[in-house]
Amino acid sequence: MAQTLAVHGVVRDNKGTGIPGATIMEKGTANGISTDNEGHFKLNVKPGASLQISAMGFTAKEIPVNGQTSFIIALSDKNEELNEVVVVGYGVQKKESVVGAIATLNSKELLKSSSPNISQAIAGKLPGVFTAQGSGAPGSDDASIYIRGQASFAGTNQPLVLVDGVERKFAQIAPDDIESMSVLKDASATAVYGVRGANGVILITTKRGIEQKPVVSLTLSTQVQSPTRKDKYLNAYESVKLLDEALSNDGLTKQYSDADLAMYQKSVAGQLTSSEAQLYPNVDWYDQVLNKTAPAQRYNVNIQGGTKRLRYFTSLEYYDQNGLYKDLTNSSSYTQSSNAAFKRYGFRANLDFALTSTTNLGVNFGTRFEERNGPNVTENSTTKYNEIFYELNHTPGWLFPVQYDNGYYGGNSQHQNNIVAKLAKGGFYRDNNTINETNFTLNQKLDFITKGLSFKGMASFDYETYYDRRFGAGFATYELIDRTNPDLSDSYTRYNEDEELTYSGNTQTATMKLYMEYGLNYTRDIGKHKVTGLVLYNQNDYRYQADLARRYQGVVGRVTYAYDNRFMGEFNAGYNGSENFRKNHRFGFFPSASVGWMLSNESFLKDQRNWLDHLKVRASYGEVGNDKYTVNGTDIRFLYVESWSWYSSVYYTGDGNYHTGIYEGQYPNRNVTWERAKKYNLGFESGFYKDLFSLDVDLFTEHRTNILTSYLSVPDYYGVSIAAGNLGRTENKGFEISLKHHNRIGKLDYTAGFNFTHAKNKILAMDEPSGKPAYRRNTGFPIGQFYGLVSEGFITQSDIDNKKLAKSTFTDEVKAGDLKYKDMNGDGYIDENDVTQIGYSTVPENTFSASVGLNYKGWSFNLMFQGVGKVSRYYDEEALFAFVDGGKVREEHLQRWDPSRSEDYNLAHAKYPLLHYDDKGNHNQRLSTFFLKSGRFVRLKNIELGYTLPRALTQRWSMSEARFYVNANNLFTWDDLNGLVDPESSISNAYPIMKSVNVGVNVKF
Amino acid sequence: MRLKHIIITLAGCVTILTACEKSKFLDKTPSGELTSDQVWSSWTNTVYYYNDTYNFLRNGQARIANSWMDEATDLAEASRSACGTRSSFNVGDFYATGGEAEILDTWATYYRGIRKVNLFMEHIDSVPLGTEVSEATGEAARSRMKAEMRFFRAYFFWELCLRYGAIPIIDSSIDPDATLSTILAKYQRPASVKTCFEWVMSELNDCYTGLTSDNDVSTSDLGLVTKGTDLALMARIKLYLASPYYQDLGLYSWQDAADAAKLFIDNFGNGARYSLFQYTSNYVTAYQDAVNMRVVSGNKEVVFWRNDAAGNWWQNESPVGYGGYGGLCPSQTLVDMYDMANGESPFATYDATGAPVYDASGIPTVNAASGYSEQHPYANRDPRFYATVLYHGAEWWSRAVDVSTGGTDNPAGNAYATPTGYYNRKYHDDSQTDYLDDSKTMYRNWIFIRYAEVLLNYAEAINEAQGPTAEAFNALQQLRNRVGMTSLLSARTDLQSQSALRNFIHKERTIELAFEDHRWWDVRRWKVASEAIGRPLYGITVTKATDGTLTYTRKVAQSRVFQDRFYLYPIPTEEIWKTGWSNNAGW
């Protein structure tokens, strides 16, 4: 009988936590055992045997016994291992050999946000990336993304986003489907995208199958959303009091008598009968239209697994988000509800077939069905303008009731669009968006030609159809004229007419994308030399409706070399062209070079390994391009061609004798080409004391040249619009700091992180006319800089008496308590020529986030604060000003310059100038330093508490994991806006930004 | 990798790169757009290009951000603060967003039109006729189109010079590829606007022969520029240039202006082609139809107009009680300018602005002999008043307008209700009874010149040249007769001096052409802009006692601002920065 040896030990994960249920097998036998709840095991084996250790979700290990009896075995998490690999342009790289500036985010981090919208969920999680959400409307709440601020004024500054290698919309992808995100920031990382890489690139990779038994993961969550800000409009009584004050300030007749005021006071107190209240209404339009909260649910199930031959990841997602509007239609059909709703159905199947031992075929199917429905109102997805919120912010609450006692909806000629009536009777819309995305990828190893060579080819076909149906009806509103007889229909002026609901048409669009790439990869380690190479051809054909296809074509090349894991060098290049430019001007070569030095692998630091985990410095320089030119959100294409346009009926003579017209639309710029970015990056990565601390720092500088911009120095008397030229130059400088701390005290495992990004840009040139005075120039100032009047406080009576004030052209006469402005050009007039650079830009210079994570036994707690600084905000008039266009008045306006008080009192206390009615307030109601707001804020972006049931318990129910969590987004915000609007939003007539609380469970089988 | 492989790889790369450059994958495929060669090599396309020139004729109705040029004068005010002129020109802010469009767009639009003509003139002679057009037809069309294009260029330039003063004459197309400094050096502001006007007039003279004669225009071609258009425009320009503001240029005398108007009247007027639109009764409608009736429907009064398709109704321009937004609201000053139906003037004295002389509190002295009463101000007035103004008690769309305080058309707390106590009736479709709805349409052609103006031009010029002659009275009498005011003006004792008749003519011109974009220019050329536009805009408050008694109280509807620099627009600031020019005086 062979001699046996009693071995024992513990199986742990990388963090040192015992892994229960891991299997320990003696190699080549049926002898084996599972670990207990703490990960301990005991087993008798032959002294010369090998132990095979495996556990679900971990990479299996084999250890020779060699007579040893006690083992501490660390298994590495498969997910974490994946994180050791970084997705880069057209490939992957080992994290340690990366020499570009790349930020990554894994699935786990992403899922800590309760937001099912990916563009929102990444907020604060990636150094160098800033997101701003403009609207919280269901299904239309994508955030804009800026990588390292902005550097161009030609386009949108939005990065190129690729999902599985193809340019795709990503915000509505099921969060559980995402394996990783890589944000490519410097030229070293983005050069391969050439003419499209200048604003940075985001690579999103969806999950793929792994060789394991199928793991089913099920997530159920339910959410409650509510606006982060409350409206602060005054009630009817206070409003009319201030209204009369404004009228009397302007020398106009007061609209309300003392008796009226008394009635309004009673109305506010709820002391009026219904028939009196309709004469003295006190309508809170927000209350009438909005619910306090809106629910949402998300369900996701996915299966990941595979065999040697076939690996698969498939998922199903359902997300249902409701809007804030009340259902005022009394309709039983959900699609006819006046509330808005968004539903997302997602399906995905990512398959990998090992066709031969050297051939792998990958197939991705991603399908999404998005359904939006809501009231028949205007909701502009570009400007974020929302008709309902416009009306809520504009319709006074003291003029007419929502409905008179006889059922008539209230209104007047200015406010014919009673929004309650519109929601109840004005109709609804429903739209569907079907997105089909497919990838076919073929990998063939070509070791028979030369070792390490492989071929990769991909073709993708995406198809998106959008269908929008709208039903609408006119509706009447009524203004009570004869107030003594509200019961008689003759006492009213009627506006518009009640109509039957009719089909008001549909919009249908289809988008088709054909993309393909094929190329060769080469990877070879020869001794201490590691060499990789890539050459790849790609072409992109994007068709929207019957528009001219948008096309790109190019070749990508990369060579990397590493010696002894100490020195790394990389050369990347994109050679590609855009159909936007003329032959000979359309292809550009975009090279980048980068070097890295892993100092910690040097012999002179080998001895420091007890405290120094890793230390790397890297530097890169490269050039990338941008071919996009947008004006007011519209892509302007083909600047190089003449465009003489048709006009089917430009004029007519006689009676209906129509004539076709032709006009010279654009004088071409034949030499137009892409914008070029020269990017420098210097990086430093370090880790200390076994991940106790890590510090990464990146410094960057970018020079953009050839920015497409219109010829601002060409006089209008040329009489033709000249296509934009490559005239602009900017620079963008800054740094990123990322600090992490990870420690374990007993069973408490905790992490803390801090990210800070500073990016400041400056326009160096933009063809400004030579005569433009310095105080109005854009050159020398950031993109998006605000321009306005410089306010020097309030005008006092002595200012007026001394007659030294520059004459305001905004009003016939200024009074004490109005704003005093600086006469910038000294011409004695205050007018639009006195605006100058004020405040900051619309995109913050500083962004930061701080996060803490705690794990104790099964409990986990995470929170993240996010904030921005050095940014300005200016909101729509009705958010800032009183009685604009005869409109409303807010709480802040109570702190106005009060003419019934002394000037000294007002100078000390007034926070708002003298009240005026309607356009009499034009002098004060301007974009000036007085009303330009600081947009800085700090907010508790995410907070999450989770509990994972003990494995022993879950295993009993044949689950591998069960986790419950409650998390919240945007729970608290600190800012300088005094409750005006959510600081992330840049306008006030948008659907509000929401905070949400989410309860969920995730179970894995 | 061996050397062989490297060479193969590199060769492969080079092949791919060159293949990319050569492939047509990125070439722009044909779309609906044309190139200049395609335009100038096709007769049809060239005609289409010419057609588009007509689209540069601007419609003045509510053009300036929902407001009218006349709302920036003493004739009217916009009810809504959102209307352009109200918060710009009227408070003295020419750069404000509302008025800015007028300053910037006028400059840009007309210079675009001028380039359009220049390009046409440079290419038209070499455009092949093709097979579909015969040599004779083609040559005739060529010469006619050339004449019309030159007319337009002169007209556009005239409109520019009126506003901006001396500006560069651009009579050949600018090559955008030329260096900026060459162009800037070539196009400077002339020392005097005189140079500009001389060029305009010589162009208008030269194009005359090539234009179609008015009697030869077929019905389907109505709307084209004709010989009559040219003569009428020249008559107007001569009148303007003979006026006080331009007199010092020494270009035209009053007699020149009178002769020019007379030439039109003799050649085309008096029914030869153009005449005042008449009905034998129903004088209010006669005046309305003179403006509203389309030329194709037999309106012979209209000489030069923009022949538009039917446009939507004017929700923007109608009384609030009818579902409108107010819009253009006539002033008390305009109302005061209408005579009594018996031909007498309701007030004792008038000044050169055409308005009665107001005392310090804005009240004029009543001429009791006329029968006018401040407590029944709308009784027995000139029929043109009823056709132009909706006043308290006016019957319209099956009910009486009620602008009394709190009334249907002037309710409390309605920021769109009339600030003056009046609404606009001119240009409205009178026949309706329903509430306002912009989905319904009506014809609203914009008139630049109608025969009535030519008569007024003549009357004014001849009175200035020769005093109150019979010809002057005769021209004015025709306009009065058309609306049934047949009492003889020549018999009115208060009009027998040149200066009294001058003021009277200014008044007649203002009311006859109210809201037709004349007032702004007239008060400037008469050099009375600071009196007319600087005085407060007057309105009326109508209060209804419980017993139904009405009280009319004059009020100041808006205080106004006028500075001498307002005689001209500022040249757009950006253009000054670009060119280094100095701007107009005071700007």
Side-chain angles (χ1 to χ4, degrees), chain A residues 731-887:
Chain A
E731 69 170 23
N732 185 29
K733 287 182 175 174
F735 59 86
E736 296 161 8
I737 295 172
S738 175
L739 187 63
K740 281 190 195 124
H741 171 53
H742 175 206
N743 199 14
R744 215 182 139 75
I745 301 167
K747 293 199 164 168
L748 176 71
D749 180 270
Y750 70 94
T751 56
F754 177 72
N755 287 327
F756 186 91
T757 304
H758 170 79
K760 187 174 182 180
N761 69 74
K762 189 158 90 174
I763 295 170
L764 299 177
M766 62 179 296
D767 197 42
E768 284 189 288
S770 53
K772 195 171 182 182
Y775 73 93
R776 296 191 67 177
R777 284 184 171 263
N778 300 86
T779 311
F781 292 86
I783 298 158
Q785 169 73 45
F786 277 94
Y787 288 77
L789 294 165
V790 177
S791 159
E792 298 175 313
F794 297 108
I795 291 173
T796 60
Q797 194 53 46
S798 73
D799 288 330
I800 294 170
D801 297 341
N802 292 337
K803 302 200 164 155
K804 281 187 177 160
L805 283 177
K807 167 95 183 76
S808 167
T809 61
F810 306 130
T811 175
D812 42 350
E813 187 194 0
V814 293
K815 297 196 170 68
D818 285 333
L819 293 179
K820 196 191 311 186
Y821 298 122
K822 193 168 173 188
D823 182 10
M824 290 300 295
N825 58 359
D827 67 350
Y829 293 102
I830 300 296
D831 57 23
E832 310 281 342
N833 284 328
D834 294 310
V835 300
T836 186
Q837 305 92 4
I838 58 171
Y840 297 102
S841 156
T842 47
V843 173
E845 278 176 29
N846 295 334
T847 59
F848 50 89
S849 68
S851 57
V852 174
L854 306 173
N855 282 296
Y856 180 74
K857 291 187 174 169
W859 292 92
S860 72
F861 175 75
N862 294 291
L863 60 77
M864 184 183 75
F865 291 93
Q866 183 218 356
V868 304
K870 294 207 172 178
V871 59
S872 291
R873 290 267 178 259
Y874 182 69
Y875 294 104
D876 307 277
E877 297 182 325
E878 57 285 343
L880 294 172
F881 304 137
F883 307 118
V884 178
D885 206 12

Side-chain angles (χ1 to χ4, degrees), chain A residues 94-278:
Chain A
K94 282 241 167 173
K95 192 167 189 177
E96 56 173 23
S97 63
V98 167
V99 285
I102 298 175
T104 57
L105 186 63
N106 64 28
S107 175
K108 250 187 187 165
E109 282 297 314
L110 188 66
L111 290 172
K112 278 180 191 164
S113 165
S114 70
S115 175
N117 183 309
I118 305 298
S119 67
Q120 294 173 29
I122 63 173
K125 296 189 192 300
L126 290 153
V129 177
F130 164 67
T131 60
Q133 196 188 339
S135 155
S140 310
D141 49 359
D142 293 3
S144 330
I145 298 176
Y146 298 91
I147 295 177
R148 291 181 169 176
Q150 44 183 357
S152 176
F153 43 82
T156 56
N157 280 298
Q158 295 291 295
L160 174 68
V161 182
L162 304 175
V163 179
D164 291 330
V166 183
E167 187 181 9
R168 284 171 178 158
K169 288 182 193 165
F170 67 101
Q172 300 297 352
I173 292 179
D176 291 86
D177 286 5
I178 292 177
E179 175 73 41
S180 73
M181 285 176 80
S182 286
V183 179
L184 315 184
K185 296 184 280 196
D186 70 345
S188 156
T190 63
V192 287
Y193 295 99
V195 75
R196 313 185 67 195
N199 294 328
V201 179
I202 297 180
L203 302 176
I204 294 176
T205 312
T206 56
K207 285 181 183 157
R208 309 205 67 81
I210 41 183
E211 206 182 309
Q212 65 177 21
K213 276 194 253 169
V215 175
V216 181
S217 165
L218 178 68
T219 304
L220 314 170
S221 74
T222 179
Q223 202 172 59
V224 176
Q225 303 188 314
S226 58
T228 57
R229 287 287 174 268
K230 281 201 139 107
D231 67 300
K232 296 170 92 179
Y233 291 102
L234 294 176
N235 64 37
Y237 171 65
E238 285 176 296
S239 295
V240 296
K241 259 199 338 191
L242 290 188
L243 175 67
D244 273 352
E245 181 180 316
L247 290 166
S248 91
N249 287 342
D250 294 328
L252 300 170
T253 326
K254 289 188 177 189
Q255 288 180 2
Y256 299 95
S257 65
D258 289 347
D260 291 335
L261 288 178
M263 289 300 277
Y264 273 116
Q265 198 163 14
K266 284 186 180 170
S267 177
V268 168
Q271 294 162 351
L272 294 185
T273 65
S274 152
S275 71
E276 287 170 328
Q278 63 181 343

Side-chain angles (χ1 to χ4, degrees), chain A residues 270-550:
Chain A
Q271 294 162 351
L272 294 185
T273 65
S274 152
S275 71
E276 287 170 328
Q278 63 181 343
L279 299 179
Y280 299 95
N282 173 39
V283 183
D284 182 336
W285 289 97
Y286 271 80
D287 268 3
Q288 293 291 328
V289 168
L290 300 186
N291 287 318
K292 295 278 176 264
T293 59
Q297 289 104 44
R298 191 169 79 85
Y299 308 102
N300 183 286
V301 56
N302 62 59
I303 308 172
Q304 193 172 28
T307 63
K308 275 203 157 53
R309 280 285 183 195
L310 170 66
R311 283 164 288 142
Y312 53 86
F313 172 83
T314 72
S315 81
L316 277 177
E317 158 110 351
Y318 172 68
Y319 175 59
D320 176 4
Q321 184 187 7
N322 274 290
L324 276 175
Y325 315 135
K326 290 183 174 167
D327 184 10
L328 300 164
T329 57
N330 301 319
S331 159
S332 54
S333 162
Y334 84 94
T335 51
Q336 291 189 23
S337 160
S338 66
N339 195 5
F342 172 60
K343 289 182 172 56
R344 172 171 90 197
Y345 305 81
F347 311 92
R348 179 174 300 279
N350 289 352
L351 308 172
D352 288 292
F353 302 93
L355 297 182
T356 71
S357 60
T358 58
T359 318
N360 187 76
L361 175 69
V363 182
N364 290 13
F365 293 105
T367 295
R368 227 162 45 240
F369 180 67
E370 300 170 5
E371 181 185 276
R372 293 169 178 85
N373 64 276
N376 178 28
V377 296
T378 311
E379 166 110 44
N380 187 313
S381 57
T382 315
T383 64
K384 305 294 177 199
Y385 165 87
N386 179 299
E387 181 184 340
I388 294 176
F389 287 90
Y390 173 85
E391 293 296 347
L392 295 182
N393 293 338
H394 274 84
T395 316
W398 62 89
L399 281 179
F400 46 82
V402 172
Q403 268 179 301
Y404 289 98
D405 287 353
N406 60 6
Y408 283 178
Y409 281 104
N412 71 12
S413 67
Q414 183 181 359
H415 303 286
Q416 301 185 6
N417 191 17
N418 178 327
I419 199 66
V420 172
K422 176 90 184 243
L423 290 175
K425 297 175 140 187
F428 56 90
Y429 82 92
R430 182 177 172 182
D431 72 44
N432 299 328
N433 208 15
T434 310
I435 298 142
N436 286 300
E437 294 166 345
T438 52
N439 283 24
F440 296 90
T441 318
L442 186 73
N443 272 298
Q444 174 65 55
K445 289 186 179 158
L446 299 172
D447 293 315
F448 63 90
I449 298 177
T450 181
K451 204 180 165 197
L453 189 68
S454 64
F455 167 86
K456 183 197 172 194
M458 174 168 82
S460 88
F461 176 73
D462 292 1
Y463 189 71
E464 177 175 345
T465 54
Y466 168 78
Y467 184 64
D468 174 279
R469 281 153 75 82
R470 233 161 240 273
F471 293 82
F475 56 91
T477 50
Y478 296 83
E479 181 173 16
L480 178 62
I481 301 297
D482 182 356
R483 292 168 63 88
T484 51
N485 288 308
D487 309 332
L488 303 178
S489 60
D490 279 355
S491 305
Y492 294 85
T493 296
R494 173 166 64 94
Y495 299 101
N496 304 312
E497 198 168 32
D498 282 320
E499 290 167 357
E500 288 299 312
L501 201 62
T502 52
Y503 182 50
S504 46
N506 63 63
T507 315
Q508 259 176 292
T509 63
T511 311
M512 197 173 82
K513 255 178 274 180
L514 278 166
Y515 173 79
M516 66 176 196
E517 64 179 41
Y518 46 83
L520 293 173
N521 255 309
Y522 178 71
T523 312
R524 189 82 178 264
D525 293 3
I526 304 164
K528 288 182 170 177
H529 309 274
K530 284 184 186 162
V531 182
T532 74
L534 165 76
V535 56
L536 180 142
Y537 168 84
N538 61 48
Q539 70 173 51
N540 198 353
D541 186 324
Y542 171 96
R543 295 174 194 206
Y544 174 73
Q545 301 285 70
D547 286 1
L548 286 181
R550 185 182 286 282

Side-chain angles (χ1 to χ4, degrees), chain B residues 184-471:
Chain B
L184 288 179
K186 186 169 173 190
Y187 298 105
Q188 290 293 322
R189 302 187 71 180
S192 163
V193 71
K194 186 175 177 180
T195 322
C196 302
F197 292 138
E198 282 170 338
W199 184 75
V200 167
M201 289 306 281
S202 87
E203 285 292 303
L204 290 177
N205 261 316
D206 291 354
C207 72
Y208 182 80
T209 46
L211 293 168
T212 318
S213 179
D214 297 56
N215 295 314
D216 300 339
V217 179
S218 70
T219 313
S220 67
D221 280 348
L222 281 172
L224 295 188
V225 167
T226 60
K227 283 190 158 65
T229 321
D230 192 46
L231 282 192
L233 180 62
M234 284 198 286
R236 180 199 285 183
I237 294 176
K238 286 182 180 172
L239 178 81
Y240 274 35
L241 297 182
S243 301
Y245 183 73
Y246 293 108
Q247 241 161 24
D248 294 344
L249 297 177
L251 283 169
Y252 298 101
S253 68
W254 286 113
Q255 190 60 50
D256 295 335
D259 294 345
K262 189 78 169 33
L263 184 66
F264 180 91
I265 294 167
D266 291 346
N267 281 1
F268 298 108
N270 290 328
R273 165 65 183 83
Y274 301 104
S275 55
L276 291 181
F277 190 86
Q278 309 261 10
Y279 287 128
T280 48
S281 61
N282 211 347
Y283 303 113
V284 173
T285 320
Y287 176 74
Q288 284 182 321
D289 285 354
V291 180
N292 288 353
M293 185 183 278
R294 300 169 66 209
V295 180
V296 282
S297 311
N299 186 349
K300 290 187 157 187
E301 182 161 339
V302 181
V303 181
F304 182 25
W305 76 104
R306 187 185 154 91
N307 198 42
D308 266 321
N312 59 8
W313 277 10
W314 269 350
Q315 194 157 30
N316 277 338
E317 300 292 326
S318 316
V320 296
Y322 297 82
Y325 299 151
L328 181 140
C329 297
S331 68
Q332 185 61 39
T333 304
L334 175 66
V335 171
D336 287 343
M337 283 196 232
Y338 290 96
D339 275 357
M340 305 303 287
N342 61 18
E344 298 296 314
S345 295
F347 302 103
T349 45
Y350 293 81
D351 62 20
T353 69
V357 176
Y358 294 102
D359 68 13
S361 39
I363 296 168
T365 312
V366 172
N367 168 19
S370 68
Y372 173 82
S373 148
E374 282 280 275
Q375 279 321 304
H376 301 281
Y378 313 130
N380 305 318
R381 302 292 292 270
D382 184 331
R384 288 172 289 186
F385 164 69
Y386 302 114
T388 309
V389 180
L390 288 172
Y391 54 92
H392 184 82
E395 281 293 327
W396 197 61
W397 284 27
S398 75
R399 71 166 170 86
V401 171
D402 183 356
V403 290
S404 65
T405 307
T408 312
D409 299 302
N410 194 12
N414 190 325
Y416 289 0
T418 173
T420 60
Y422 301 101
Y423 289 105
N424 173 34
R425 184 175 199 172
K426 200 165 178 172
Y427 303 106
H428 270 299
D429 184 340
D430 251 14
S431 63
Q432 303 299 323
T433 53
D434 205 355
Y435 72 98
L436 269 160
D437 177 355
D438 260 351
S439 65
K440 293 171 183 154
T441 60
M442 58 185 270
Y443 283 98
R444 283 186 277 106
N445 296 325
W446 181 250
I447 297 169
F448 301 105
I449 301 176
R450 59 186 171 100
Y451 189 53
E453 184 203 330
V454 184
L455 292 176
L456 285 161
N457 292 349
Y458 182 64
E460 182 179 340
I462 201 80
N463 178 53
E464 297 292 347
Q466 301 174 12
T469 58
E471 285 102 324

Side-chain angles (χ1 to χ4, degrees), chain B residues 5 36 46 122 150 232 240 302 343 364 369 390 485 500 517 550 583:
Chain B
H5 294 134
S36 54
T46 303
E122 287 155 17
R150 284 179 78 179
Y240 274 35
V302 181
L390 288 172
M485 294 166 72
D517 215 345
L550 297 169
N583 213 329

